[in-house]
Amino acid sequence: MMISPGTYYELYLKGKNAKQIMTIIRSLKREISRLKNIIEHPEYQCMMHPNEAVRISCNRYYLEQAKQALNEVGGIYVPTKAELKAQQFDANIPYISKIEFFVGGFFNGYEKRTYTIEGDNVNTYIEHSLVLKPSNFDDNEIEKIDKTDFFESLADLHIGEWQRSYSPRRFGYEVLDGTQWHLYVYFSNGHRTVKIEGSNAFPYNFDRLTELFEVEV
């Protein structure tokens, strides 16, 4: 059963020294990684409640509580290289200038969504491989999304933690057909373009990305 971050602090962190808190931090990070691997497995099915995605979110809160507790007792938390990469992505979200999201398969066709940032809006352009001639939208026909809400939703996805490539081979599976996708994120401040792709394999919270982009996979 999940508990509130405040209750977690009282039960597991209060009164602990730096060494003990670091042990808790490592345990929480291992648990988050384990839950991600469960969801990303090709044969994953949600079988328990709260589900793995909810437990990941709760463990994130516990982890932040543990880091704060470590700081309070004079300890210093040194982020890993992967954590620094994730932090760097989040820090550069305000400078995103364009996003390209491509997803589909041989039989159902491919869809490409392009999001461009213009002022306070995010403009959306949609193309589909099964349409003989892609639609050319006038400016007033392009769907506009509020940039602040869009960026907040992106931050909640923790895309900076995603791997650069996803494949079922990681779990010993070989799939020839199916769904291929890629996500390219461009920045206006010189930050390197983030390119993530997958074939029949997905990040643990990929469904939340497709919900944000309103794409059915």
Side-chain angles (χ1 to χ4, degrees):
M1 185 168 108
M2 300 292 100
I3 58 178
S4 71
T7 301
Y8 182 85
Y9 176 86
E10 291 293 327
L11 291 176
Y12 299 104
L13 298 170
K14 189 175 181 179
K16 298 291 194 300
N17 60 38
K19 184 177 180 180
Q20 292 170 322
I21 295 174
M22 274 305 306
T23 298
I24 293 172
I25 288 175
R26 286 190 289 267
S27 177
L28 288 168
K29 290 168 62 174
R30 285 195 300 268
E31 178 64 5
I32 291 172
S33 180
R34 185 186 73 85
L35 292 169
K36 286 181 180 179
N37 286 333
I38 290 175
I39 299 176
E40 292 171 1
H41 193 281
E43 295 184 357
Y44 168 72
Q45 292 183 348
C46 179
M47 301 295 291
M48 64 185 301
H49 299 281
N51 62 34
E52 287 82 3
V54 171
R55 289 154 64 194
I56 288 173
S57 295
C58 289
N59 277 288
R60 284 189 188 279
Y61 287 119
Y62 303 159
L63 182 58
E64 291 308 310
Q65 284 282 321
K67 291 177 181 178
Q68 181 179 339
L70 179 66
N71 181 66
E72 291 173 354
V73 298
I76 299 176
Y77 180 75
V78 180
T80 65
K81 185 177 180 180
E83 289 172 322
L84 289 173
K85 178 176 74 72
Q87 292 173 11
Q88 188 179 49
F89 180 89
D90 289 344
N92 282 280
I93 286 178
Y95 303 101
I96 291 176
S97 59
K98 184 172 72 170
I99 296 175
E100 293 179 356
F101 180 63
F102 170 97
V103 64
F106 178 78
F107 295 104
N108 294 322
Y110 302 89
E111 182 173 312
K112 179 182 177 182
R113 292 190 174 227
T114 303
Y115 300 85
T116 57
I117 314 302
E118 294 186 13
D120 294 329
N121 294 317
V122 181
N123 296 334
T124 307
Y125 180 75
I126 304 171
E127 302 172 77
H128 200 288
S129 65
L130 295 183
V131 178
L132 295 180
K133 184 178 181 180
S135 300
N136 292 314
F137 295 99
D138 295 330
D139 287 343
N140 60 356
E141 293 178 313
I142 296 176
E143 181 182 0
K144 295 182 182 296
I145 306 170
D146 180 75
K147 183 178 73 172
T148 300
D149 293 342
F150 187 75
F151 280 178
E152 287 179 355
S153 297
L154 281 178
D156 288 340
L157 291 172
H158 304 284
I159 291 174
E161 295 179 0
W162 289 9
Q163 302 173 33
R164 289 291 177 252
S165 180
Y166 287 83
S167 169
R169 294 176 183 172
R170 170 184 165 203
F171 297 97
Y173 287 75
E174 186 70 45
V175 182
L176 298 179
D177 296 318
T179 302
Q180 288 73 49
W181 62 276
H182 73 234
L183 175 70
Y184 295 167
V185 184
Y186 303 85
F187 301 86
S188 61
N189 63 344
H191 182 64
R192 180 181 298 180
T193 300
V194 172
K195 297 183 178 182
I196 307 172
E197 60 185 12
S199 177
N200 304 304
F202 313 91
Y204 74 98
N205 57 351
F206 190 76
D207 58 335
R208 291 183 57 195
L209 178 73
T210 57
E211 287 175 6
L212 173 62
F213 290 167
E214 298 182 346
V215 176
E216 292 185 8
V217 179

